[in-house]
Each structure stands twice: as C-alpha cells, then as structure tokens.
Amino acid sequence: MDVAGFDLNLLKAFDALYAERHVTRAGQRIGLSQPAMSGALTRLREVFDDELFVRSPTGMQPTPRAEDLAGPISSSLRLMRSVLQDDGFDPAAADHVVTIAMTDYAAFVLLPPLLARLAVDAPRLEVRVRGIFGKDEVVDLLDSGEASLALSVSVDASARILSRPLFREGFACIARPGHPAFARDADIAAFAAAPHLLVSPEGDRAGLVDRKLAALGLSRRVVLSLPQFLVAPFVVAETDLIATLAARVARRFAAANLGIEVHEPPIALSDWPLAMMWHRRVDDHPATVWLRDCIAGIAASA
C-alpha cells in the first residue's frame, strides 16, 4: 500500500460504515452523497483487498477483516481529531441523540434522575432507550453501535467491552398486608409453602430463591412467572402471592401506597452488581465520557 498517497477520508468512510451499517446513512453522517459513499466503499475494498461490508437483511455486516480494522481506525481518527481540533464537549450545546441500552431495573432506578439531570445540564440532548432482555444482547448492542452505553448486570466479554461498577443491589420480598408467611411466628417452611411470583426476563423456571431453598431441602410453588416486574405489585396486592424483587424496586413500590408491604427475605440471598458498559471505540469520546460520569454520579446516590 502506498501510504503517502492514501486518502485519509477513506478512514472516515470506513468508520461511518462500521457505525451505521448502511451506505446512505453513513454518507449522511460524514456529509457524502450516496454515490460518493458507494465509491468510497469500492476504494476501501480495493485498498484492503476484502469485501469489508456485506449486504444482509439487517444491513451492511462487517467481515472479520473489517472487525479487525475497526478498532485501530477508530483510534487513529480520534488521535487525528485531538491533534487538529478542540474535541471538547459542551453539554449545554449538545443536540444529538444518545442511545442507552437498559434493563427494566436500570431504567426504573436510574432513568428518572438521569432525565432530571439532563433537563438542567443538557436540555437539548435526546435520549433513546433500548431494552435489554438477555445478557447476550449487551455485547451485540455495543458491538453494533446501536447503543453507546449499556446498564445491566456485568457481562463477560472480550477486552473491547469496558465496564464500570455502579452499585450493588440486594433483595426484598413484597406481600399483601397481613400475609401469614410473614407473621411473627412464621418460619421458612411457611415462606416456601406460600404461592410465589417469579420475575425472570429470560424466562427461567427457577431463580436464586429456588436454589437457596433447595439447599435447605425445600421447594416453593411458583404460580406466576413474569418477564418484567412492573405488574408484580398489583398482582401481589390482590392475591396471596409473594414476590422477591430487587430491594430498591420493592421499597419504591411500597412507598407508592399500592397495598403491599416489604419484608426481609427469610433466607440469605447474595446481592448483585449493576454495571455500566461501553465499547472501547467510544472510550475517549468526550460526550460519552461526560454521560458516563453523569450516570455514575446519579448511581452513587440511588
């Protein structure tokens, strides 16, 4: 390759194609027409002797060679921008769209205070939320660029996915007032014998409570399984079902006067971490850095 004669604009075209997975949108991202962007892709294929991006029903999918190039090219562009211009970020003037992938839990706990903060510090910033219903989705959404950040239980991934712990969460039980399973003289057997509601986004038939009870030689009867927790308090308030939920969620439901009470689980349940994750290619992006710090500050007081 003749490096001296290489058109550096082709790197911008590659970076846009990798982010957008669509020729027209990639052109709009960097100010090129659709024909010009197609021409840039043709030259990229010639330079790297690879198809780089292949059409599919879900857009232009990168080849393994393109995946290898994406990180170095993104880093090179960031370095050139930092040399050539002030790449600072002014939240008050920001008017772009940021997409955050969140579990229902993360959105319930962090989205209201985050939007309140943005209304003051970044009033023109638009937030789009992508739901996370399985651990595998986190890596896919960050890899594809469909989300800039993900708020979820931390996932095991390659070095390209970076992570920052936010806080740890415990569990609490909710039940209707006066439920016999939580009477003063009730024991663990009464808790196990009661009908239960299980919240499982991934559709599991058993959860942590079941594993802990099994270790004690007990089992519970799950009458209702739900993929989300938002309807749980309303079901619990009108039935004898018990639900074991994230403690922050349980306390907020009880504070809303929905006709439920919060109880400590009668068995020891390990707490779990909520994490913020992002792709390495946006690690130094000023807007993303600012947003990460903003979310971390909110999580510290959640």
Side-chain angles (χ1 to χ4, degrees):
M1 182 187 297
D2 180 10
V3 176
F6 182 77
D7 183 359
L8 293 178
N9 286 317
L10 291 178
L11 298 184
K12 291 175 59 180
F14 177 96
D15 194 55
L17 280 165
Y18 188 80
E20 297 292 345
R21 312 296 169 94
H22 190 279
V23 171
T24 301
R25 289 200 302 269
Q28 293 171 345
R29 186 185 184 104
I30 59 175
L32 291 181
S33 65
Q34 192 274 336
M37 195 67 200
S38 295
L41 176 57
T42 298
R43 281 180 286 159
L44 280 165
R45 286 168 169 166
E46 294 171 352
V47 167
F48 291 106
D49 192 24
D50 189 89
E51 283 293 295
L52 296 179
F53 297 93
V54 180
R55 294 188 184 279
S56 77
T58 58
M60 301 289 287
Q61 294 302 311
T63 65
R65 175 65 169 148
E67 291 286 4
D68 291 339
L69 292 168
I73 287 177
S74 179
S75 297
S76 298
L77 289 172
R78 286 200 303 271
L79 180 60
M80 285 189 287
R81 281 194 294 265
S82 68
V83 172
L84 296 174
Q85 66 184 39
D86 177 13
D87 204 16
F89 174 68
D90 179 7
D95 61 357
H96 61 280
V97 178
V98 60
T99 300
I100 307 175
M102 297 183 178
T103 60
D104 281 351
Y105 168 81
F108 185 82
V109 174
L110 296 178
L111 196 54
L114 174 60
L115 291 180
R117 168 78 180 275
L118 295 181
V120 175
D121 293 344
R124 299 168 61 191
L125 195 68
E126 179 183 342
V127 176
R128 293 180 183 170
V129 174
R130 285 290 306 267
I132 299 174
F133 303 100
K135 293 181 180 179
D136 292 342
E137 288 186 85
V138 172
V139 176
D140 291 342
L141 290 169
L142 295 177
D143 266 342
S144 67
E146 292 182 63
S148 299
L149 294 173
L151 306 180
S152 172
V153 175
S154 186
V155 299
D156 294 326
S158 69
R160 70 184 183 278
I161 304 298
L162 305 179
S163 179
R164 179 175 180 175
L166 295 177
F167 55 73
R168 298 192 69 84
E169 177 64 289
F171 290 94
C173 295
I174 59 173
R176 64 166 177 78
H179 196 293
F182 295 101
R184 186 180 299 274
D185 58 348
D187 57 13
I188 186 68
F191 172 80
H196 286 254
L197 181 156
L198 171 65
V199 177
S200 175
E202 296 182 336
D204 297 331
R205 296 176 63 87
L208 178 60
V209 172
D210 299 279
R211 293 190 291 274
K212 291 292 185 176
L213 287 174
L216 300 173
L218 298 170
S219 63
R220 65 173 177 167
R221 183 168 62 97
V222 175
V223 173
L224 175 65
S225 299
L226 297 172
Q228 300 171 332
F229 61 78
L230 292 178
V231 73
F234 302 98
V235 174
V236 167
E238 299 186 22
T239 66
D240 279 335
L241 271 66
I242 296 170
T244 303
L245 305 175
R248 285 175 175 82
V249 171
R251 290 196 296 267
R252 291 194 184 185
F253 281 152
N257 297 318
L258 299 177
I260 60 172
E261 293 180 343
V262 177
H263 302 274
E264 285 292 321
I267 49 177
L269 300 173
S270 302
D271 58 6
W272 51 273
L274 183 73
M276 175 167 52
M277 290 155 285
W278 62 96
H279 199 282
R280 184 176 293 277
R281 67 173 175 270
V282 299
D283 187 40
D284 297 324
H285 186 250
T288 308
V289 171
W290 180 86
L291 186 59
R292 292 201 307 262
D293 290 340
C294 181
I295 292 173
I298 289 169
S301 58

